Short mmCIF file of all heavy atoms in Angstrom, two decimals:
data_model
loop_
_atom_site.label_atom_id
_atom_site.label_comp_id
_atom_site.label_asym_id
_atom_site.label_seq_id
_atom_site.Cartn_x
_atom_site.Cartn_y
_atom_site.Cartn_z
N SER A 111 8.86 38.65 -22.84
CA SER A 111 10.30 38.74 -22.58
C SER A 111 10.87 39.86 -23.45
O SER A 111 10.20 40.35 -24.35
CB SER A 111 10.99 37.41 -22.92
OG SER A 111 10.92 37.17 -24.32
N LYS A 112 12.10 40.24 -23.19
CA LYS A 112 12.74 41.27 -24.02
C LYS A 112 12.84 40.81 -25.47
O LYS A 112 12.68 41.60 -26.38
CB LYS A 112 14.13 41.62 -23.47
CG LYS A 112 14.11 42.29 -22.13
CD LYS A 112 13.61 43.70 -22.21
CE LYS A 112 13.73 44.37 -20.85
NZ LYS A 112 13.22 45.71 -20.83
N ALA A 113 13.10 39.52 -25.68
CA ALA A 113 13.22 39.00 -27.04
C ALA A 113 11.87 38.85 -27.73
O ALA A 113 11.77 38.99 -28.94
CB ALA A 113 13.93 37.64 -27.01
N HIS A 114 10.82 38.55 -26.96
CA HIS A 114 9.49 38.35 -27.51
C HIS A 114 8.46 39.11 -26.67
O HIS A 114 7.70 38.50 -25.92
CB HIS A 114 9.15 36.86 -27.55
CG HIS A 114 10.11 36.05 -28.34
ND1 HIS A 114 10.14 36.07 -29.72
CD2 HIS A 114 11.11 35.22 -27.96
CE1 HIS A 114 11.10 35.27 -30.15
NE2 HIS A 114 11.72 34.76 -29.10
N PRO A 115 8.46 40.43 -26.78
CA PRO A 115 7.56 41.22 -25.95
C PRO A 115 6.10 41.08 -26.38
O PRO A 115 5.79 40.81 -27.54
CB PRO A 115 8.05 42.65 -26.16
CG PRO A 115 8.67 42.64 -27.50
CD PRO A 115 9.27 41.27 -27.65
N THR A 116 5.24 41.26 -25.42
CA THR A 116 3.80 41.32 -25.66
C THR A 116 3.28 42.55 -24.93
O THR A 116 3.96 43.13 -24.09
CB THR A 116 3.08 40.07 -25.14
OG1 THR A 116 3.32 39.93 -23.73
CG2 THR A 116 3.54 38.82 -25.85
N MET A 117 2.07 42.93 -25.27
CA MET A 117 1.41 43.97 -24.49
C MET A 117 -0.04 43.56 -24.33
O MET A 117 -0.61 42.87 -25.17
CB MET A 117 1.56 45.35 -25.12
CG MET A 117 0.96 45.55 -26.46
SD MET A 117 1.33 47.25 -27.00
CE MET A 117 0.20 47.37 -28.35
N GLN A 118 -0.61 43.92 -23.19
CA GLN A 118 -1.99 43.55 -22.92
C GLN A 118 -2.71 44.68 -22.24
O GLN A 118 -2.10 45.56 -21.64
CB GLN A 118 -2.07 42.28 -22.10
CG GLN A 118 -1.78 42.44 -20.63
CD GLN A 118 -1.97 41.16 -19.85
OE1 GLN A 118 -2.01 40.07 -20.41
NE2 GLN A 118 -2.08 41.27 -18.55
N ARG A 119 -4.03 44.63 -22.38
CA ARG A 119 -4.89 45.58 -21.68
C ARG A 119 -6.10 44.82 -21.16
O ARG A 119 -6.50 43.80 -21.73
CB ARG A 119 -5.32 46.72 -22.59
CG ARG A 119 -6.22 46.28 -23.74
CD ARG A 119 -6.61 47.45 -24.59
NE ARG A 119 -7.51 47.03 -25.67
CZ ARG A 119 -8.14 47.86 -26.46
NH1 ARG A 119 -8.00 49.16 -26.29
NH2 ARG A 119 -8.93 47.41 -27.40
N SER A 120 -6.65 45.31 -20.10
CA SER A 120 -7.85 44.73 -19.53
C SER A 120 -9.04 45.09 -20.41
O SER A 120 -9.13 46.23 -20.88
CB SER A 120 -8.04 45.26 -18.11
OG SER A 120 -9.24 44.76 -17.56
N VAL A 121 -9.93 44.14 -20.65
CA VAL A 121 -11.14 44.41 -21.42
C VAL A 121 -12.35 43.97 -20.61
O VAL A 121 -12.28 43.05 -19.80
CB VAL A 121 -11.14 43.69 -22.79
CG1 VAL A 121 -10.00 44.22 -23.66
CG2 VAL A 121 -11.05 42.19 -22.67
N GLY A 122 -13.46 44.65 -20.82
CA GLY A 122 -14.67 44.34 -20.08
C GLY A 122 -14.56 44.75 -18.63
O GLY A 122 -13.79 45.63 -18.26
N ASP A 123 -15.34 44.10 -17.79
CA ASP A 123 -15.35 44.37 -16.36
C ASP A 123 -14.03 43.89 -15.75
O ASP A 123 -13.69 42.71 -15.87
CB ASP A 123 -16.53 43.63 -15.71
CG ASP A 123 -16.68 43.91 -14.23
OD1 ASP A 123 -15.72 44.38 -13.59
OD2 ASP A 123 -17.78 43.66 -13.71
N PRO A 124 -13.28 44.79 -15.09
CA PRO A 124 -11.99 44.39 -14.51
C PRO A 124 -12.10 43.21 -13.54
O PRO A 124 -11.15 42.45 -13.38
CB PRO A 124 -11.50 45.65 -13.79
CG PRO A 124 -12.23 46.76 -14.44
CD PRO A 124 -13.55 46.20 -14.89
N ASP A 125 -13.26 43.04 -12.91
CA ASP A 125 -13.44 41.93 -11.97
C ASP A 125 -13.46 40.58 -12.68
O ASP A 125 -13.25 39.54 -12.06
CB ASP A 125 -14.73 42.11 -11.17
CG ASP A 125 -14.66 43.28 -10.22
OD1 ASP A 125 -13.54 43.67 -9.83
OD2 ASP A 125 -15.72 43.82 -9.85
N ASN A 126 -13.70 40.56 -14.00
CA ASN A 126 -13.72 39.31 -14.76
C ASN A 126 -12.33 38.84 -15.15
O ASN A 126 -12.14 37.68 -15.49
CB ASN A 126 -14.58 39.44 -16.02
CG ASN A 126 -16.04 39.63 -15.71
OD1 ASN A 126 -16.50 39.32 -14.61
ND2 ASN A 126 -16.79 40.13 -16.66
N GLY A 127 -11.35 39.75 -15.16
CA GLY A 127 -9.97 39.38 -15.48
C GLY A 127 -9.71 39.07 -16.94
O GLY A 127 -8.79 38.33 -17.26
N ASP A 128 -10.53 39.62 -17.86
CA ASP A 128 -10.31 39.38 -19.29
C ASP A 128 -9.27 40.36 -19.83
O ASP A 128 -9.28 41.54 -19.50
CB ASP A 128 -11.61 39.55 -20.07
CG ASP A 128 -12.65 38.50 -19.70
OD1 ASP A 128 -12.25 37.35 -19.42
OD2 ASP A 128 -13.84 38.83 -19.68
N ASP A 129 -8.38 39.86 -20.70
CA ASP A 129 -7.33 40.67 -21.28
C ASP A 129 -7.28 40.49 -22.79
O ASP A 129 -7.68 39.46 -23.32
CB ASP A 129 -5.95 40.28 -20.71
CG ASP A 129 -5.83 40.57 -19.24
OD1 ASP A 129 -6.11 41.71 -18.84
OD2 ASP A 129 -5.47 39.66 -18.48
N GLN A 130 -6.78 41.51 -23.45
CA GLN A 130 -6.48 41.47 -24.88
C GLN A 130 -4.96 41.57 -24.99
O GLN A 130 -4.36 42.47 -24.41
CB GLN A 130 -7.16 42.63 -25.59
CG GLN A 130 -6.91 42.67 -27.07
CD GLN A 130 -7.63 43.86 -27.71
OE1 GLN A 130 -7.90 44.86 -27.07
NE2 GLN A 130 -7.92 43.73 -28.98
N THR A 131 -4.34 40.65 -25.71
CA THR A 131 -2.89 40.59 -25.80
C THR A 131 -2.43 40.69 -27.25
O THR A 131 -3.01 40.03 -28.11
CB THR A 131 -2.34 39.29 -25.17
OG1 THR A 131 -2.80 39.21 -23.81
CG2 THR A 131 -0.83 39.27 -25.19
N LEU A 132 -1.43 41.51 -27.51
CA LEU A 132 -0.81 41.64 -28.82
C LEU A 132 0.68 41.33 -28.71
O LEU A 132 1.29 41.59 -27.68
CB LEU A 132 -0.99 43.06 -29.37
CG LEU A 132 -2.40 43.58 -29.52
CD1 LEU A 132 -2.39 45.03 -29.98
CD2 LEU A 132 -3.21 42.72 -30.48
N SER A 133 1.24 40.79 -29.77
CA SER A 133 2.68 40.48 -29.82
C SER A 133 3.33 41.32 -30.90
O SER A 133 2.70 41.59 -31.93
CB SER A 133 2.90 39.00 -30.14
OG SER A 133 2.34 38.18 -29.15
#
Side-chain angles (χ1 to χ4, degrees):
S111 67
K112 293 288 185 182
H114 302 286
T116 59
M117 63 182 194
Q118 77 176 18
R119 66 180 182 170
S120 177
V121 297
D123 183 341
D125 292 336
N126 293 341
D128 295 325
D129 295 308
Q130 180 180 25
T131 303
L132 302 176
S133 299

